[in-house]
Amino acid sequence: MRVAIAGAGNVGRSIAQELIDNGHQVMLIERQPKMLRPERVPTAEWVLADACELTSLEEADIAGCDVVVAATGDDKVNLVVSLLAKTEFAVPRVVARVNRAENEWLFTEQWGVDVAVSKPRVMAALVEEAVTVGDLVRLMTFRQGEANLVEITLPPTAPYVGQPIHAVPLPRDAALVAIVRGKRVLVPSPDDPIEAGDELIFVCTAEVEDDVRAVILGPDSVQRTRGGS
């Protein structure tokens, strides 16, 4: 993919290096000359420009990018970059960084954002994932909340422990996409059994999260969760 990243601070540079390591072409756009440090990510294309200006984005050929990442430390800038990328240049995928949690509600498709990444939310999800057994933890949201990546760590009392995946009656709009077992990541197949301690990773819509919880953890799990919250 060709990826443009607005903002060449620590976050932008880290994303750029990760993407380059994975074989993608990356362009970093930075408006402050003092932040222009090509030696930090030498294999990226560096552009000194204001990503909020239409002419700058035209000159950088944003329309030729598969993804635009708005990664500055200013939420207003990230929203403007997202809106321009989506509405003016029809970029297929726009990912925006949310710096202040109270602004998260703004990062929607109306502003051109496909995926909003809030570091506090991600950190909270990772903490929950690390310590929670026997409940559903939402790790990430896609497509403006239409689909979520969720995780359930199986307790020994889960109803389908020891049974093959094909015996688990998942609801429509839910898919088991990975099983984390110890240090291994398994691609699930219908005949694989699930075991106590497995971390089951699902993609599902928000509407069926409670149904997934009820199937995997038992019918009373939703009521227990509601009662304990």
Side-chain angles (χ1 to χ4, degrees):
M1 295 187 299
R2 184 167 186 259
V3 182
I5 300 174
N10 290 332
V11 173
R13 293 197 306 269
S14 296
I15 296 169
Q17 190 59 64
E18 184 77 18
L19 291 170
I20 288 169
D21 290 345
N22 290 334
H24 303 293
Q25 293 180 305
V26 176
M27 171 173 57
L28 279 161
I29 304 173
E30 175 56 55
R31 65 180 177 179
Q32 299 184 46
K34 66 179 182 180
M35 297 296 293
L36 212 66
R37 300 172 180 173
E39 72 279 1
R40 297 289 182 93
V41 191
T43 48
E45 176 186 355
W46 288 73
V47 176
L48 179 61
D50 187 344
C52 291
E53 293 184 358
L54 203 58
T55 53
S56 297
L57 297 179
E58 288 174 346
E59 292 172 3
D61 189 25
I62 289 296
C65 291
D66 301 290
V67 182
V68 165
V69 182
T72 80
D74 188 323
D75 285 343
K76 296 187 295 294
V77 170
N78 291 342
L79 286 170
V80 171
V81 171
S82 299
L83 186 63
L84 291 176
K86 184 64 72 174
T87 60
E88 298 294 330
F89 299 98
V91 175
R93 192 76 164 166
V94 177
V95 179
R97 171 188 177 189
V98 184
N99 295 278
R100 299 179 66 87
E102 61 266 29
N103 295 332
E104 191 169 0
W105 66 276
L106 287 165
F107 286 73
T108 64
E109 60 182 348
Q110 282 74 29
W111 279 95
V113 178
D114 293 305
V115 178
V117 180
S118 170
K119 288 194 290 184
R121 170 172 287 188
V122 171
M123 290 177 67
L126 292 174
V127 169
E128 286 188 287
E129 184 271 334
V131 301
T132 303
V133 176
D135 196 12
L136 180 147
V137 177
R138 185 181 297 173
L139 300 177
M140 190 171 293
T141 297
F142 305 101
R143 299 184 64 82
Q144 299 84 47
E146 293 177 13
N148 298 318
L149 186 72
V150 303
E151 181 267 354
I152 297 175
T153 300
L154 285 183
T157 55
Y160 290 96
V161 167
Q163 298 193 40
I165 291 169
H166 68 75
V168 182
L170 286 177
R172 186 178 178 181
D173 297 328
L176 177 63
V177 295
I179 298 173
V180 181
R181 183 173 294 160
K183 296 183 178 180
R184 300 177 61 202
V185 177
L186 309 175
V187 178
S189 63
D191 294 326
D192 290 337
I194 56 176
E195 301 177 1
D198 281 354
E199 294 183 44
L200 306 183
I201 311 296
F202 301 89
V203 174
C204 64
T205 61
E207 288 76 15
V208 302
E209 283 185 359
D210 280 348
D211 295 332
V212 171
R213 182 190 279 110
V215 168
I216 299 300
L217 297 173
D220 62 339
S221 61
V222 176
Q223 185 176 356
R224 288 201 311 270
T225 301
R226 296 290 179 266
S229 59

